[in-house]
């Protein structure tokens, strides 16, 4: 974990911003797979990690702003736990490591909260995504379980988002170390891909590599010859010569900061000319987007710029026509780019998404646009120094969407459907890097991962 000062300072700033009441940050519990003692790998809640640092189940953090108290609630392990799981430090000792001097058993939490409520003080809590914590809050606060997420504290959400959005130098180091694991994953995959292998043989190789480093995946790996499906988690296709693979994968750093990198890999080690054409359009779009990023510029503008580069390249290939800016403003390019250009990244791969995507990615001035394509853009707001963001343009040829739009003659002033038909079995290409917004623009985080056609082909052939 970071030094205790980091956590003390984070909690102090949070208390200053929320100003009054009691802040309750729920840690996660173990999550059973098929019976209580057979659990998924434990993953702590990211806001709990951010403010209270302790990476183990069964903990709740409380900041009593009015009384200036900070407490971690949790139960010390019993002799039975020691027998099955080995000795563990006492909670009071673990609390010291994150600057907490007061700890208490979970049985004390209800009375503490009842006292605060009786005193007419607000109990602030964040949106919950785990059923057990919804039930816990229902019990603790006497709010119906189905209404817990209607009673969250918007002040607390906004304060947490404000703080977690800007990454400190020590957080940037963590993000870089996560990307360094992604480097190993991507280059291993490039070397391993070959005709005849099943996708899962390579996705499994990456998972093993991550586990071997004591890390965990930051999200379920997308490794597919059907990259036109944006979040394709099926890994059962046999790779054929001439196929391209979208490898969208990532791992967490030791302190759970996420890496999220996508590369497109030719199975036989060389791209065809047609694949190179599409690849270059995506690469140019990504480069232009990164070159245009600056503090103060809304990421939505960068998304639209990336869309214009994609549309312009498609126009050069004859798939789109007409005025590129108008086509993108109308949303015609979303036939090929149905999603957003990127999202914040941090302790969550879609950072803070559980707190509400619009609180994270939008503001009162820049609201989410409902147009197809743009509506999936997770981040629209102005960039700030210290934001960590993914930049991930792509071109996706989805036969069902092509058929639908063609039948509707949708945007046929901008799309040449006869030419598009020639690409209906193309699949998809995506390139994604994690970048840090700096005073002068942005920089790619972590060790450089092969990105150009030449670099990717060379990495495929290296073994
Ligand atoms: N890279 C996976 C995702 O952004 O959801």
């Amino acid at each position: 974990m970071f030094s205790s000062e980091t956590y003390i300072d984070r909690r102090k700033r949070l208390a200053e911003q929320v100003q009054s009441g009691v802040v309750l940050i729920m840690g996660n519990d173990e999550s059973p797979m098929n019976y209580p003692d057979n659990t998924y790998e434990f993953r702590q809640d990211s806001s709990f990690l951010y403010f209270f640092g302790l990476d183990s189940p069964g903990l709740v953090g409380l900041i009593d702003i009015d009384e200036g108290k900070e407490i971690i609630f949790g139960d010390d392990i019993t002799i039975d736990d020691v027998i099955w799981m080995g000795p563990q430090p006492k909670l009071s000792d673990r609390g010291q490591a994150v600057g907490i001097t007061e700890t208490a058993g979970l049985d004390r939490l209800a009375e503490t909260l009842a006292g605060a409520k009786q005193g007419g003080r607000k109990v602030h809590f964040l949106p919950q995504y785990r059923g057990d914590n919804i039930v816990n809050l229902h019990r603790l606060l006497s709010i119906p379980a189905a209404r817990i997420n209607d009673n969250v504290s918007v002040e607390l959400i906004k304060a947490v988002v404000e703080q977690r959005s800007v990454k400190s130098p020590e957080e940037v180091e963590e993000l870089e170390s996560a990307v360094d694991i992604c480097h190993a994953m991507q280059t291993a995959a490039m070397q391993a891909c070959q005709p005849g292998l099943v996708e899962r043989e390579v996705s499994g190789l990456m998972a093993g590599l991550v586990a071997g480093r004591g890390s965990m995946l930051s999200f379920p790996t997308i490794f597919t010859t059907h990259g036109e499906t944006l979040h394709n988690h099926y890994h059962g296709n046999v790779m054929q010569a001439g196929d391209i693979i979208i490898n969208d994968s990532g791992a967490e750093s030791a302190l759970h900061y996420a890496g999220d990198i996508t590369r497109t890999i030719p199975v036989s080690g060389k791209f065809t000319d047609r694949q190179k054409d599409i690849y270059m359009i995506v690469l140019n779009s990504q480069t232009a987007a990164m070159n245009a990023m600056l503090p103060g510029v809304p990421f939505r503008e960068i998304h639209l710029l990336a869309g214009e580069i994609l549309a312009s390249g498609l126009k050069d290939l004859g798939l789109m026509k007409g005025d590129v800016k108008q086509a993108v403003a109308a949303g015609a390019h979303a036939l090929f780019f149905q999603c957003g250009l990127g999202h914040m990244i941090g302790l969550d791969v879609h950072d803070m998404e559980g707190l509400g995507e619009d609180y994270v990615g939008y503001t009162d001035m820049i609201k989410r646009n409902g147009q197809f394509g743009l509506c999936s853009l997770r981040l629209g707001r102005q960039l700030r120094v210290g934001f960590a963001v993914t930049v991930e343009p792509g071109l996706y040829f989805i036969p069902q969407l092509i058929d639908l739009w063609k039948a509707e003659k949708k945007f046929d002033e901008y799309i040449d459907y006869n030419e598009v038909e020639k690409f209906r079995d193309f699949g998809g290409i995506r390139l994604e890097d994690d970048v840090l917004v700096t005073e002068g623009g942005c920089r790619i985080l972590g060790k450089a991962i092969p990105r150009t056609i030449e670099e990717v082909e060379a990495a495929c052939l290296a073994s």
Side-chain angles (χ1 to χ4, degrees), residues 392-459:
E392 46 178 314
L395 286 171
Y396 310 101
F397 295 85
I398 303 173
Q400 296 82 351
L401 188 64
I402 295 170
D403 291 344
L404 184 71
W405 281 30
K406 186 177 173 184
E408 292 173 353
K409 300 191 185 338
K410 189 161 175 164
F411 295 126
D412 63 359
E413 67 275 39
Y414 298 123
I415 297 168
D416 185 330
Y417 284 102
N418 289 332
E419 288 302 309
V420 172
E421 277 302 332
K422 297 178 189 164
F423 283 77
R424 66 182 286 119
D425 296 326
F426 182 89
I429 288 186
R430 169 158 73 251
L431 291 175
E432 174 180 22
D433 284 282
D434 304 340
V435 308
L436 178 73
V437 180
T438 59
E439 295 283 356
C442 75
R443 70 174 177 84
I444 298 181
L445 291 166
K447 209 164 157 184
I449 299 171
R451 193 167 82 91
T452 64
I453 287 176
E454 297 72 24
E455 287 165 353
V456 171
E457 289 185 345

Side-chain angles (χ1 to χ4, degrees), residues 297 375 437 441:
V297 176
C375 68
V437 180

